[in-house]
Amino acid sequence: MDPVPFMLDWMVSKQVSDADRLLSSEDKEILRQQNQELEAQVAKVKGQMQEAVKMAADPAHHNAQEEEDEEDDDNDEPPEGFGQIQTGKARTSVSAEAYGEWNAKKAFVPPVISKSEEQKDRLKTCILKSFLFSSLESNDINICLGAMKEVNASAETRVINQGDDGDFLFVIESGKLDCLIKLPDGSEKPVKTCGAGDVFGELALLYNCPRAASVVAKETAVLWQLDRDTFNHIVREAAQKKRTRYDSFLSKVPLLASMDAYERANLADALRVEIFTDGQTVVSQGEVGTKFYIIEEGNCLANKNGVQVMSYNPGDYFGELALIKNQPRAASVVSKGTSHLLSVDSEAFKRLFAVNDLLERSSNMYN
C-alpha cells in the first residue's frame, strides 16, 4: 500500500483543523455564507450548461427563451421617472457585472480598513441613522463598518459627477452637500441638500446607471465611502426591498401624488418608522413641533381641548402646520390601537415638500 496518499490526506486534514481553530465565530459564519453562495452558483452554472445543450438541440426553444428573457429584462430597469434626471447612457460595465464568465461570481471577501475606536464609534452612530443600513442584521452592519473608508471633503469639493460610472456610495457624518442636476444649457440646478445621516451615490449602485447628479460640498464635510462589491453583497437586496415597499406606499398617499419616483426615493431616505401602542401620545397640544407624520398602519385620533376633532387612517398625515408656521401643536394626537407611523424631521420636511401646496391642502382639510 502506497503511504503517500494517506500522508497527504492527513496533512490536509490537519491543516484545515489548525486553521479552523484560528477562526472566530464571525469568520466561520462569513465562510459558511460564502460556501452557500458558491454552491448555489455551481448549481446555476450546471443548469445553464444543460439549458445550452437544449437550445443547441432545439432552436424553437432557444427563440422562445430569448423572448422570455427580454420580458424579464424589462423588470430590471429603474422605477418610472428615474430616467428624467439621467443624461448619460447605462453603465458600460453592466454586461460584465451581469454576465461574466458563465455568470460566475468570485467568493466575496469584504475589505477591512483599519480604524481607531473613536472612528468606529462615530461611524456606527452615523450609519444607524441611515435608511440603507437600518434594516441590516448586526453581522452585516459589522461587515460594512469594516469596509467603509473615511473621506474628508473641503468646501466646493466635487465628490461625484453626473454621468460618471458609480463605484462607491457615501454616508455623511457631518457637513452639507448640494445635489446638482445638469440642465440642457449646461448650467446646474440644485435639487437637494444632503446633511448628516444622508446617503448619496446609491442610485448608480442600485440600478447600474451612471451618476444621476453631481454632488458638491457646501462646507467642510466628513464622509464614509462604501465600495460597490460590499454594497452589492451586503446592502443592496435589503435596500431595494425597503425602497420598493415605501415607494409603493408613498405613491398612494394623496399628498404625494405629484412626486415622481426620484422625489419619493429622496423622501423614503428621510423616513423613520415609529411604533405607538394603544393610547400612547404621538404629539401634545401646545408643544413645539419637530416632526411630520404619515400613518402607515393603524389609526390615530386628534383631540383639541379634550374634544375629539379628527381621526386618521393609513395614508393620512398630520403635524405639518406646526412645522410650516413655526407654531405650537394645535391638537394632541394619540394612537388608537397599535400604529406604525412614518416620521420626517423638520429640516428634511422643509427641504422635500412644497410648502405652499401643503398650506392650501391643510387649510381645506382643517376648515
Side-chain angles (χ1 to χ4, degrees):
M1 178 179 177
D2 186 356
V4 174
F6 171 79
M7 290 297 295
L8 288 174
D9 288 344
W10 180 83
M11 291 174 67
V12 170
S13 176
K14 186 175 187 304
Q15 185 179 18
V16 170
S17 177
D18 290 344
D20 185 69
R21 283 196 295 268
L22 297 175
L23 294 175
S24 67
S25 59
E26 291 183 357
D27 292 332
K28 290 179 181 179
E29 177 62 20
I30 292 173
L31 288 173
R32 186 187 67 77
Q33 293 176 359
Q34 291 174 354
N35 286 336
Q36 288 180 341
E37 290 179 4
L38 288 172
E39 288 172 358
Q41 195 62 42
V42 168
K44 186 173 183 178
V45 171
K46 287 181 179 178
Q48 290 173 330
M49 293 177 69
Q50 292 171 354
E51 188 66 21
V53 172
K54 289 180 183 178
M55 289 191 292
D58 186 359
H61 173 82
H62 174 59
N63 292 336
Q65 186 64 40
E66 282 188 335
E67 293 178 1
E68 182 179 341
D69 289 344
E70 288 177 1
E71 292 177 359
D72 289 344
D73 288 344
D74 292 340
N75 297 327
D76 294 334
E77 296 182 2
E80 183 180 354
F82 178 81
Q84 295 173 1
I85 59 173
Q86 302 289 333
T87 58
K89 297 180 180 178
R91 280 178 57 90
T92 55
S93 58
V94 170
S95 60
E97 290 180 355
Y99 298 107
E101 183 179 356
W102 290 106
N103 197 27
K105 292 182 181 178
K106 296 180 181 179
F108 171 61
V109 179
V112 178
I113 298 173
S114 179
K115 300 176 183 69
S116 67
E117 291 302 316
E118 183 264 345
Q119 283 180 306
K120 291 177 183 178
D121 290 341
R122 284 167 36 217
L123 175 55
K124 191 167 186 177
T125 299
C126 177
I127 71 169
L128 289 178
K129 298 177 183 177
S130 167
F131 156 82
L132 282 178
F133 301 94
S134 60
S135 60
L136 295 181
E137 299 294 335
S138 59
N139 187 52
D140 289 338
I141 288 178
N142 288 333
I143 292 175
C144 291
L145 289 174
M148 297 182 89
K149 175 184 177 182
E150 184 170 359
V151 176
N152 294 292
S154 57
E156 304 303 321
T157 298
R158 188 168 288 257
V159 182
I160 62 175
N161 284 298
Q162 182 176 343
D164 286 353
D165 284 349
D167 293 317
F168 302 95
L169 65 77
F170 296 88
V171 183
I172 303 172
E173 180 184 340
S174 62
K176 293 185 178 180
L177 300 95
D178 279 337
C179 298
L180 309 172
I181 299 295
K182 188 175 292 184
L183 300 178
D185 63 3
S187 62
E188 292 183 314
K189 174 186 176 183
V191 293
K192 178 184 179 183
T193 297
C194 299
D198 286 340
V199 176
F200 65 90
E202 82 287 358
L203 293 179
L205 306 189
L206 279 170
Y207 302 120
N208 287 322
C209 293
R211 295 295 194 190
S214 297
V215 177
V216 178
K218 294 183 68 174
E219 58 192 31
T220 300
V222 177
L223 315 174
W224 290 94
Q225 174 183 289
L226 183 67
D227 65 282
R228 170 181 285 272
D229 284 346
T230 304
F231 175 83
N232 282 339
H233 283 84
I234 305 298
V235 185
R236 183 174 184 173
E237 183 178 358
Q240 284 179 321
K241 285 181 179 178
K242 193 169 184 181
R243 179 162 285 181
T244 298
R245 170 192 170 190
Y246 283 137
D247 183 77
S248 176
F249 172 75
L250 295 174
S251 66
K252 298 172 184 176
V253 177
L255 171 68
L256 312 177
S258 61
M259 281 187 166
D260 60 28
Y262 179 68
E263 291 171 324
R264 287 197 302 273
N266 287 334
L267 174 57
D269 288 348
L271 292 175
R272 298 292 179 266
V273 179
E274 298 187 34
I275 300 175
F276 294 86
T277 57
D278 185 37
Q280 186 176 356
T281 299
V282 181
V283 301
S284 297
Q285 183 176 347
E287 71 179 4
V288 176
T290 59
K291 294 179 182 178
F292 166 72
Y293 294 91
I294 303 173
I295 298 184
E296 182 182 18
E297 297 177 15
N299 306 92
C300 290
L301 301 175
N303 300 303
K304 188 170 185 177
N305 299 323
V307 178
Q308 182 180 324
V309 292
M310 190 168 293
S311 61
Y312 299 107
N313 303 308
D316 290 341
Y317 58 92
F318 59 88
E320 75 285 1
L321 286 181
L323 302 187
I324 294 171
K325 298 183 176 181
N326 292 316
Q327 295 177 347
R329 298 290 193 190
S332 297
V333 177
V334 298
S335 178
K336 181 182 179 182
T338 300
S339 59
H340 292 224
L341 307 185
L342 304 177
S343 66
V344 182
D345 64 41
S346 177
E347 182 179 351
F349 172 84
K350 293 174 182 177
R351 185 179 76 230
L352 295 168
F353 287 94
V355 173
N356 289 336
D357 182 49
L358 274 175
L359 273 174
E360 182 179 349
R361 286 175 175 269
S362 299
S363 177
N364 293 334
M365 181 170 67
Y366 297 123
N367 292 332

